[in-house]
Amino acid sequence: MVGDILVGLVALIHCYIVYLEMVLWDTPRGRKAFKLTPEFASASKVLAANQGLYNGFLAAGLIWGLYLGAGGLQIKMFFLFCVAIAGLYGAATVSRKILFIQTAPAALAIIALWLGL
């Protein structure tokens, strides 16, 4: 139960990231979230939407695993590891904040699922 709640939280975080990257990227809210200048946000809008789509696939995979219930454990673990690894890369290359927003929740969900919580 705890593991599935954490998986759901990670999926919701990624749904919000999709919204930020695909819809709000060049708005004041999106620029503030990613610390972007208006010029850079405008120039990189298509790239951000592509990145948002990938985050959407991560969220979809986690939701799929939740939908399958206990039979979706391997799917949930696969997508959580994908999220955690992407978060580690983002923390190393973009901002340490990503470690706490993306990697930590995924790691907690992995541990909870592994422990059968």
Side-chain angles (χ1 to χ4, degrees):
M1 178 80 169
V2 172
D4 281 346
I5 290 169
L6 291 171
V7 171
L9 176 65
V10 174
L12 286 174
I13 289 168
H14 278 76
C15 287
Y16 182 63
I17 292 170
V18 169
Y19 184 64
L20 279 172
E21 292 175 341
M22 295 188 85
V23 178
L24 299 180
W25 185 258
D26 62 346
T27 67
R29 187 171 169 192
R31 289 193 314 264
K32 181 180 178 188
F34 295 103
K35 298 178 182 167
L36 306 173
T37 64
E39 297 79 22
F40 183 80
S42 179
S44 61
K45 185 175 182 173
V46 173
L47 181 62
N50 187 17
Q51 185 172 297
L53 185 62
Y54 285 102
N55 279 297
F57 290 134
L58 293 173
L62 293 170
I63 293 166
W64 176 35
L66 287 171
Y67 172 77
L68 294 174
L73 177 63
Q74 292 174 332
I75 291 165
K76 290 181 270 192
M77 293 296 266
F78 172 78
F79 282 98
L80 287 169
F81 275 105
C82 289
V83 168
I85 292 166
L88 288 172
Y89 183 78
T93 60
V94 179
S95 170
R96 257 208 177 139
K97 182 171 89 169
I98 296 170
L99 193 64
F100 303 103
I101 294 171
Q102 197 169 339
T103 306
L108 290 174
I110 289 167
I111 292 166
L113 289 175
W114 185 63
L115 294 174
L117 300 176

